[in-house]
């Protein structure tokens, strides 16, 4: 990741020098993603905020939605659930406005996982069901598997172990079908906990 950061910083410097605001926003966003992956959440937030500000300035609604979504995920990772929800709701509103069904499904899924983390199981289920419906509608099998897995976690948390097992089995079947070995491993791990 060190080389990625180095190259992105060089690209950012050039983008600033030539006045390419869109390119600058892209670089800040990519740097934010790299910092998120390596657990440097403060730097991730800083760079994503800079990208978001430029996206708003240049009227890039898709980029604005993406930045808000990524900020929501970073805030979830550091357990700042109020800020996570705020940014994910903003992202969701834009995704709906621009007709981005895949992004909408991701937002509902991420909101569902935030609500699961804070013990709001009804809201978690509601948002995950919305995500699942969209994933099925657009043929996103990976998203569908993720939704079933997260719904299984909700039912496990409320003590409905039979339903949790059923949902985790659905997730497992999809993961096997699409060759997602990591997802398969997660499903087996979760089933072992039930």
């Amino acid at each position: 990741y060190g080389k990625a950061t180095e190259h992105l910083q060089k690209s950012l410097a050039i983008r600033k020098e030539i006045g390419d605001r869109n390119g600058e926003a892209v670089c800040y966003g990519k740097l934010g993603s790299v910092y998120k992956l390596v657990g440097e959440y403060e730097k991730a937030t800083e760079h994503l905020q800079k990208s978001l500000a430029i996206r708003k300035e240049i009227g890039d609604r898709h980029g604005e939605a993406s930045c808000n979504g990524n900020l929501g995920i970073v805030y979830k990772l550091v357990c700042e659930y109020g800020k996570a929800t705020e940014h994910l709701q903003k992202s969701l509103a834009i995704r709906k406005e621009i007709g981005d069904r895949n992004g909408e499904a991701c937002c509902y899924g991420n909101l569902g996982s935030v609500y699961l983390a804070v013990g709001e199981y009804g809201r978690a289920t509601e948002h995950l069901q919305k995500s699942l419906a969209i994933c099925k509608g657009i043929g996103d099998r990976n998203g569908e598997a993720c939704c079933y897995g997260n719904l299984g976690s909700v039912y496990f948390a409320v003590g409905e172990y039979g339903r949790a097992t059923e949902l985790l089995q659905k997730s497992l079947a999809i993961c096997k079908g699409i060759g997602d070995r990591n997802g398969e491993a997660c499903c087996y791990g979760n089933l072992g906990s039930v």
Side-chain angles (χ1 to χ4, degrees):
Y1 294 105
K3 281 286 185 197
T5 304
E6 179 185 328
H7 291 300
L8 286 167
Q9 290 287 7
K10 287 177 181 178
S11 179
L12 177 60
I14 294 168
R15 301 291 186 186
K16 285 180 173 181
E17 182 184 312
I18 64 174
D20 178 2
R21 296 295 279 161
N22 183 59
E24 198 177 327
V26 170
C27 288
Y28 279 126
K30 287 182 178 182
L31 281 163
S33 294
V34 170
Y35 287 126
K36 178 180 73 173
L37 287 171
V38 297
E40 293 189 45
Y41 301 123
E42 200 169 300
K43 284 184 179 179
T45 302
E46 174 190 330
H47 285 81
L48 289 168
Q49 289 284 9
K50 287 179 180 179
S51 182
L52 178 60
I54 296 169
R55 300 290 190 180
K56 285 180 177 179
E57 173 191 313
I58 65 175
D60 178 1
R61 298 295 279 161
H62 187 270
E64 189 179 337
S66 180
C67 288
N68 273 307
N70 284 326
L71 280 163
I73 292 166
V74 171
Y75 284 124
K76 179 187 180 277
L77 290 169
V78 297
C79 303
E80 291 189 41
Y81 300 116
K83 287 182 180 179
T85 302
E86 175 189 333
H87 283 282
L88 289 168
Q89 290 285 9
K90 286 178 182 178
S91 181
L92 178 61
I94 296 168
R95 301 287 190 186
K96 285 180 172 180
E97 174 191 314
I98 64 176
D100 179 0
R101 297 293 282 162
N102 187 57
E104 193 178 332
C106 288
C107 288
Y108 279 125
N110 286 324
L111 281 163
S113 71
V114 170
Y115 291 129
L116 172 60
V118 298
E120 292 186 37
Y121 303 119
R123 291 179 89 180
T125 301
E126 174 191 338
H127 284 78
L128 290 168
Q129 289 285 7
K130 287 179 180 180
S131 181
L132 178 61
I134 295 169
C135 288
K136 284 181 173 181
I138 62 175
D140 178 1
R141 297 292 284 162
N142 189 55
E144 198 177 327
C146 190
C147 289
Y148 281 128
N150 285 332
L151 283 164
S153 296
V154 172
Y155 283 99
F156 176 79
V158 298
E160 292 188 35
Y161 304 118
R163 184 72 174 129
T165 300
E166 176 188 326
L167 291 162
L168 290 168
Q169 290 285 3
K170 285 184 178 185
S171 181
L172 177 61
I174 294 169
C175 288
K176 283 181 174 181
I178 62 175
D180 178 1
R181 299 289 286 162
N182 185 53
E184 197 177 326
C186 288
C187 289
Y188 279 122
N190 288 334
L191 283 163
S193 297
V194 178

